[in-house]
Amino acid sequence: MRTGSGRGAARGRAAGQVVEAGREQQVADGCLDGRWLVLGKDGRLTAYARSRAGLLRWTETRPGGPHWSEPDLIPVPDLTDLSVTQGADTYVHFLGRRARGGDGAPPTVDVVHAIQYQTARPVTEWRSLGNPHPQQEKAARLGAPVAAVSSTGRVHVIVRNAGGGLMLRREGPSGRWDRWLDLKGSGVRDGFATTVHSSGRIEVLADSSQHAMRWWQSEADGDFGREPNIPLRITPGTASLLETAPDRSTFYWADGDTGQIVAHRLGGWVIPLGGASTGDRIAVLRAVLDGYDCTVLAHRGLDGEVMVAACGTENEGAGVWWAPAGGPSAGAPALALDGHGRIVLALIGPDGTLRVARQGAGPGLALDPPVRV
């Protein structure tokens, strides 16, 4: 069944409320899933986090910083999970799992979607995308949605269903939402990862207790095909994908048995990277360091400290050395390039405030001391 239009209708609706957060609401409760530090078309970075009242947003006052706005609050009731992604058009998309009611019965659960079209501008109202399960008991067991935006701007929403498979709902060419499609799979756990390749094809990596599963589009905006299982175990919620060659990803995750961070490319060996993860997603970024194409990694260690490392892209086998940066974090860190092309590391401190460390003038991956925003 098709329901109202997507991008076109969102532009025509009243924007969602954005208010200046009161002091008691400026404290973040946790990080969003996905790349929660994004660069806008105007060259300014925006960071997002969760609070008890909804979505918190900090924005650079000018490209390259160093100053940021006070946090804005976008009230969002009844969300149990919230993820963020950005398209090539720089629009920022939010996907949430909403659970309402209950009172002894299964809650009413649906997937909701909102968009921020421009840096620091209002967010559209949160629109329901429904639930692939018509039965309320099954609908209540729906997982946490994630999204990927194709090169043509079409939003692809992917979520674990009650039976442990993956479901897909996406915008059609006209902007109207297509019906839910079953991508199959078995035993899928929440925390799966997506990436959009330079070709426009979307790749999905998920895990079960026994192996990793992968889906791959035949072409940009095409159908998803199930690829052979990967006989490796992933700690749920830690995996990230990064395109490191045309239509080729490097997978980063914490090993399901040892907790050690590893890198893997199809057809190759698992490359141990050292470190140990707390179960948060690993942040990944490609950047030029000293004239070389490099991959930058960041994760939260067992003691809560954020650790960073860099290596030549697809050259993890030469060795990766982790160094502390940014201080303790309450969740997964985020990486992005700012409006001047410098690497920026963001984290949410234990006190719920945003902290930012920016690449300095030194060689290699040299970050200045973190600044509390």
Side-chain angles (χ1 to χ4, degrees):
M1 177 180 69
R2 293 176 180 264
T3 60
S5 60
R7 283 166 284 169
R11 291 190 182 97
R13 292 191 300 270
Q17 183 183 13
V18 177
V19 298
E20 183 177 348
R23 288 295 174 186
E24 73 282 359
Q25 297 171 327
Q26 291 181 2
V27 176
D29 286 341
C31 298
L32 273 64
D33 192 20
R35 193 181 294 270
W36 55 266
L37 180 68
V38 302
L39 183 67
K41 189 173 292 185
D42 65 355
R44 290 189 289 165
L45 287 170
T46 303
Y48 304 93
R50 291 286 302 274
S51 81
R52 281 187 289 271
L55 175 67
L56 284 179
R57 180 181 71 185
W58 297 263
T59 306
E60 285 185 316
T61 57
R62 64 180 182 179
H67 302 297
W68 294 71
S69 69
E70 291 292 324
D72 292 324
L73 172 67
I74 296 105
V76 191
D78 302 320
L79 291 190
T80 64
D81 299 272
L82 185 59
S83 65
V84 60
T85 192
Q86 186 180 35
D89 52 14
T90 73
Y91 298 165
V92 182
H93 296 263
F94 305 97
L95 269 296
R97 179 187 184 273
R98 181 171 61 182
R100 293 172 292 179
D103 296 329
T108 299
V109 173
D110 62 347
V111 175
V112 292
H113 172 230
I115 310 170
Q116 178 185 297
Y117 288 109
Q118 293 178 299
T119 302
R121 298 298 296 165
V123 174
T124 65
E125 71 172 317
W126 294 79
R127 177 173 182 241
S128 176
L129 300 181
N131 190 309
H133 298 295
Q135 307 92 346
Q136 188 170 358
E137 188 276 329
K138 281 189 173 182
R141 291 188 277 127
L142 193 72
V146 300
V149 184
S150 73
S151 55
T152 60
R154 292 173 61 184
V155 183
H156 294 61
V157 177
I158 304 167
V159 64
R160 175 190 54 78
N161 64 25
L166 283 188
M167 304 295 294
L168 166 72
R169 194 173 190 195
R170 62 181 172 180
E171 286 184 297
S174 67
R176 294 178 64 87
W177 287 89
D178 294 339
R179 61 182 178 85
W180 288 100
L181 294 175
D182 189 353
L183 298 182
K184 307 300 182 182
S186 177
V188 171
R189 299 186 289 194
D190 281 342
F192 50 89
T194 67
T195 193
V196 182
H197 289 266
S198 53
S199 65
R201 300 166 72 189
I202 295 172
E203 186 176 16
V204 181
L205 182 72
D207 70 273
S208 71
S209 61
Q210 301 300 320
H211 50 249
M213 293 165 279
R214 180 171 164 264
W215 288 258
W216 182 238
Q217 276 185 317
S218 58
E219 58 184 357
D221 291 326
D223 295 332
F224 282 84
R226 176 79 185 276
E227 301 295 321
N229 291 338
I230 303 172
L232 297 168
R233 297 182 66 241
I234 299 173
T235 300
T238 63
S240 291
L241 284 69
L242 183 68
E243 185 181 36
T244 52
D247 272 350
R248 181 169 69 211
S249 287
T250 299
F251 309 137
Y252 299 94
W253 64 63
D255 181 80
D257 295 314
T258 68
Q260 185 181 47
I261 296 171
V262 301
H264 178 62
R265 283 177 288 277
L266 294 176
W269 300 100
V270 172
I271 305 170
L273 303 182
S277 173
T278 55
D280 300 304
R281 200 175 297 280
I282 300 160
V284 295
L285 177 72
R286 277 181 77 174
V288 175
L289 293 174
D290 302 332
Y292 294 97
D293 177 11
C294 293
T295 296
V296 181
L297 305 167
H299 77 97
R300 186 168 73 111
L302 294 176
D303 60 358
E305 292 283 324
V306 171
M307 308 293 289
V308 297
C311 62
T313 296
E314 295 201 346
N315 195 28
E316 299 89 353
V320 171
W321 291 268
W322 297 95
S329 175
L335 290 166
L337 297 176
D338 71 9
H340 298 319
R342 295 173 299 184
I343 296 166
V344 178
L345 170 74
L347 60 93
I348 302 298
D351 59 355
T353 61
L354 174 67
R355 304 181 187 195
V356 175
R358 204 177 300 259
Q359 184 180 9
L365 182 58
L367 298 176
D368 288 338
V371 174
R372 176 175 168 174
V373 174

